[in-house]
Amino acid sequence: MVALLRGFYPYAIAILIAFVMYKVMPVGAEKIDLGILQINSFFTKVTGAIGIAIIMAVSLNIVNGYTGQFSLGHAGFMAIGAYTSAWITHYGSIHFFGNANAMEGLFTKGSALFVASLLAAGLVSALFGYLVGLPSLRLRGDYLAIVTLGFGEILRALLNQTQPVLDEFDIEEATRGEIFTGLGGALGFSGVPKYSNLFWVWSVAIITVIICYRLKQSIHGKAFLSIRENEIAAEAMGVPTTHYKVAAFAIAAFFAGVGGALFAHTLGNIVSPNEMNYQRSIDFVIMVVLGGMGSISGSVIAAVALTILPESLREFSEYRMIVYAILLIVFMIVRPDGIFGIREFWEVKWIRRLFRRTPKETHAP
Amino acid sequence: MALLEIRNLNVHYGAIHALQGINVTVEQGKIVTLLGANGAGKSTTLRAISGLLRQVKGDILYQGRSLFGRPPHDIVRDGIAQVPEGRGIFPDLSVLENLNLGAYIRSDKKGIEEDRERALTLFPRIRERLQQKAGTLSGGEQQMLATARALLARPKLLLLDEPSLGLAPQIVLTIFRIIREINETGTTILLVEQNAHMALQAAHYAYVLECGRITMHDDAKALAESDAVKKAYLGG
């Protein structure tokens, strides 16, 4: 695990890129005029959504792509992260700062609380990932998919039953139980402090990509892949398959939890049980399948494309979901293994050929 | 003391009594073969040794200690590597990645590299294909890869499940030559085969398994000469 975090520069560069994005992209009524394109705050919003989609798709790839398990509950982990962190920052801000929205903005005391809530969201979600991963030891394929689907739906039903969110005045006379279950019910968790922005989203997104890529390159990554390729042979090589299958769920859930936490604290997003239903899980599965099961760069590209696509198809209004679906079907017919299969884009032959400078050698017969 | 001793091994698949109390002894440094037709229980025996099969009765002693109740990845660490039936390679991974996974249980980088070099010297065909996807190899090459991969675990005991399955006669000859070479470097081999002719030539000792029972066992040379074996397995 330590090896995954080795080296300072990749992470420093990730944070720098995120900071530049945060500074450059317009907020509110600001605009950047590029002549043909007017970049406004809507672009900023989509860029944030892309970052979160990358975190979700790349992390789901560990379970569905590397390990070959089938999870349909990724939005459930996202919800756990979103609610855990929202609860911490909302009630934490009231407790420490007196008001839920007092400390918004980059690098305030609120940011410290926010970072702590991101970690807590990841850890709580990983714990649930571990529990949901346990059935994967006995179930596979469709059956496992149903269990993970059930997990997401049970979670949604439970969150619908929670109590209203308490503000700084209600909290004075509330019992501990009321504070603990004050998650907003079916209406959603309103008034989550908007601590997140492009800096946090893209820092986490790029760091997630780096860690998942290093994981794939390591012997642990090969062990995940060996389980997907041939579980019996993997066991015969001495790979503790049960350990890895549960670990895959826990690691993926960790990142999904953090992704959910970032989502919850972004301006304009609603944290409600119905926002994180199975439809959203399926969206993430589509990104993984389209990009290529096991390909990190494929997941990134699919996450970017499938976030932009519905936005850019808005002019087709009600037909856009049909266009979206047709594009997906055509794509899966043309490239059934996803864009890159299990490889990264720089490892794929047809792309290498595009960049080859010297003409192909001719072999004597 | 024998390296591996199977005592009164019984395996049931539902109502089917697949192994009915077999006894097999594998001496250190030898090639021992287990012959038999389809469904005789050969692969079942191997799966019981490597821990892939859990519901078994009797006892399996390895270096004097029982292997029962231990998970497969633990048994590999003790020096028993299996080449599963049908090769069991990882088709979407490269040949090199397949080999590296063979050394999963080890962390001595230098030793792994030496052993990989040694395995590639045994199988030069594999060396030419290191960067290729394992699924694109021919059947014979896949068998070579699976065997080379098992060697990277640096096993004391190598379990081979039908290495000749579905291969051209020329390739089978090569594979058996290499099996003997592996044995000469000190690795004990338990070989399960349908190809009795090849197996009896390569092995030191042989057991004949029929419908879950050991019906004959003797030195491989003696068994190759016996009338019963000639008639049933060597075609007259």
Side-chain angles (χ1 to χ4, degrees):
Chain A
M1 279 294 122
V2 180
L4 298 177
L5 296 170
R6 194 183 42 212
F8 167 75
Y9 290 109
Y11 300 103
I13 291 168
I15 289 167
L16 191 69
I17 293 173
F19 189 72
V20 170
M21 288 176 87
Y22 166 73
K23 280 289 173 200
V24 168
M25 293 302 280
V27 284
E30 293 170 25
K31 272 199 181 93
I32 304 174
D33 199 345
L34 292 180
I36 41 166
L37 201 62
Q38 299 275 326
I39 296 182
N40 53 29
S41 60
F42 176 69
F43 282 75
T44 310
K45 189 171 159 45
V46 174
T47 309
I50 289 172
I52 290 170
I54 288 175
I55 297 170
M56 300 305 293
V58 168
S59 59
L60 183 62
N61 207 338
I62 297 174
V63 175
N64 287 27
Y66 300 5
T67 320
Q69 310 296 302
F70 201 89
S71 170
L72 271 177
H74 215 47
F77 298 121
M78 189 180 181
I80 286 175
Y83 274 91
T84 305
S85 64
W87 188 86
I88 291 172
T89 53
H90 178 79
Y91 294 111
S93 295
I94 292 173
H95 181 78
F96 294 119
F97 318 133
N99 179 323
N101 306 64
M103 286 288 177
E104 290 174 7
L106 194 60
F107 304 134
T108 61
K109 281 183 191 161
S111 303
L113 183 66
F114 177 51
V115 171
S117 84
L118 286 182
L119 282 175
L123 292 175
V124 172
S125 183
L127 178 69
F128 277 88
Y130 174 80
L131 294 175
V132 174
L134 288 177
S136 74
L137 305 181
R138 291 188 160 270
L139 302 172
R140 59 197 65 211
D142 314 351
Y143 304 102
L144 181 62
I146 290 167
V147 169
T148 55
L149 188 67
F151 155 75
E153 290 303 292
I154 291 168
L155 190 72
R156 199 161 66 90
L158 286 176
L159 287 172
N160 267 321
Q161 301 305 316
T162 53
Q163 304 299 313
V165 179
L166 306 169
D167 61 23
E168 61 263 41
F169 306 110
D170 302 331
I171 216 164
E172 309 256 320
E173 50 226 60
T175 62
R176 277 194 182 172
E178 279 173 324
I179 296 175
F180 191 72
T181 59
L183 298 173
L187 291 174
F189 201 128
S190 55
V192 181
K194 302 306 171 196
Y195 288 136
S196 183
N197 51 45
L198 280 189
F199 172 73
W200 296 112
V201 168
W202 278 87
S203 296
V204 174
I206 300 173
I207 289 171
T208 304
V209 170
I210 295 172
I211 291 179
C212 289
Y213 178 69
R214 287 183 163 186
L215 182 67
K216 185 185 171 191
Q217 298 304 103
S218 74
I219 186 70
H220 300 295
K222 304 298 178 216
F224 283 129
L225 287 165
S226 75
I227 292 171
R228 146 193 162 163
E229 297 277 291
N230 190 328
E231 198 172 331
I232 291 180
E235 245 180 305
M237 298 296 101
V239 175
T241 52
T242 53
H243 165 94
Y244 273 104
K245 282 201 268 184
V246 177
F249 269 94
I251 295 169
F254 177 88
F255 289 114
V258 176
L262 290 164
F263 175 87
H265 293 81
T266 299
L267 189 68
N269 286 345
I270 306 156
V271 184
S272 79
N274 297 324
E275 269 293 300
M276 287 166 225
N277 57 10
Y278 77 97
Q279 180 58 49
R280 206 173 260 270
S281 292
I282 289 173
D283 286 346
F284 299 137
V285 172
I286 291 173
M287 290 176 191
V288 173
V289 174
L290 189 71
M293 307 277 251
S295 172
I296 308 252
S297 43
S299 287
V300 170
I301 289 169
V304 174
L306 293 187
T307 312
I308 293 176
L309 199 60
E311 301 296 343
S312 58
L313 289 175
R314 271 184 197 282
E315 51 197 286
F316 295 96
S317 62
E318 65 258 49
Y319 297 111
R320 73 185 173 120
M321 288 324 284
I322 300 174
V323 177
Y324 180 78
I326 290 171
L327 281 174
L328 282 180
I329 292 168
V330 168
F331 211 88
M332 291 325 287
I333 292 171
V334 177
R335 291 201 66 82
D337 288 337
I339 309 176
F340 302 132
I342 87 168
R343 300 287 155 193
E344 301 304 332
F345 75 85
W346 55 91
E347 298 167 345
V348 176
K349 265 194 193 142
W350 59 271
I351 295 197
R352 284 194 163 185
R353 220 170 289 143
L354 291 181
F355 292 100
R356 182 151 45 200
R357 286 185 196 160
T358 50
K360 206 176 175 184
E361 292 167 46
T362 47
H363 293 281
Chain B
M1 187 180 61
L3 183 64
L4 183 83
E5 219 179 319
I6 299 173
R7 287 185 190 156
N8 194 27
L9 183 66
N10 277 277
V11 176
H12 293 263
Y13 291 122
I16 299 159
H17 200 172
L19 284 181
Q20 308 175 11
I22 67 163
N23 293 290
V24 173
T25 305
V26 180
E27 295 291 342
Q28 176 86 45
K30 301 281 196 236
I31 301 179
V32 175
T33 181
L34 212 54
L35 303 172
N38 277 337
K42 305 180 305 279
S43 298
T44 304
T45 312
L46 286 197
R47 289 162 57 85
I49 298 169
S50 58
L52 293 172
L53 209 61
R54 297 289 173 83
Q55 303 298 324
V56 295
K57 287 188 213 106
D59 209 357
I60 300 176
L61 298 176
Y62 173 68
Q63 296 179 321
R65 281 170 52 210
S66 176
L67 290 178
F68 272 18
R70 296 175 55 194
H73 57 88
D74 202 26
I75 291 174
V76 179
R77 282 180 193 276
D78 263 10
I80 302 183
Q82 185 183 13
V83 180
E85 192 179 3
R87 294 137 204 166
I89 53 148
F90 306 119
D92 273 341
L93 300 184
S94 74
V95 169
L96 185 62
E97 286 167 334
N98 266 270
L99 289 174
N100 288 342
L101 271 163
Y104 172 81
I105 54 164
R106 298 169 60 186
S107 50
D108 56 322
K109 276 206 171 128
K110 219 172 155 203
I112 294 172
E113 233 157 78
E114 280 170 21
D115 283 0
R116 190 168 58 216
E117 215 28 55
R118 205 168 301 148
L120 289 173
T121 317
L122 281 173
F123 298 101
R125 290 273 286 275
I126 300 301
R127 191 193 293 276
E128 295 161 23
R129 311 222 182 299
L130 279 179
Q131 301 304 330
Q132 210 168 310
K133 261 192 188 185
T136 63
L137 298 183
S138 74
E141 288 163 349
Q142 291 189 9
Q143 182 63 51
M144 292 179 191
L145 173 59
T147 313
R149 188 181 61 181
L151 288 178
L152 276 168
R154 196 178 266 181
K156 296 191 189 93
L157 175 62
L158 182 62
L159 309 176
L160 292 173
D161 200 346
E162 302 222 20
S164 75
L165 190 74
L167 300 182
Q170 198 59 44
I171 308 283
V172 174
L173 281 175
T174 314
I175 299 250
F176 273 89
R177 177 175 55 74
I178 295 168
I179 289 173
R180 276 196 300 271
E181 282 176 29
I182 293 168
N183 175 246
E184 277 157 19
T185 61
T187 309
T188 310
I189 293 173
L190 178 56
L191 168 69
V192 155
E193 254 307 335
Q194 284 199 46
N195 187 336
H197 182 70
M198 290 303 304
L200 286 173
Q201 272 189 4
H204 300 102
Y205 202 84
Y207 289 81
V208 177
L209 199 56
E210 279 173 25
C211 303
R213 287 201 180 87
I214 301 273
T215 51
M216 280 178 276
H217 60 98
D218 205 343
D219 278 342
K221 281 209 184 82
L223 215 53
E225 296 298 320
S226 90
D227 287 340
V229 170
K230 267 188 185 165
K231 210 169 164 193
Y233 297 102
L234 300 176

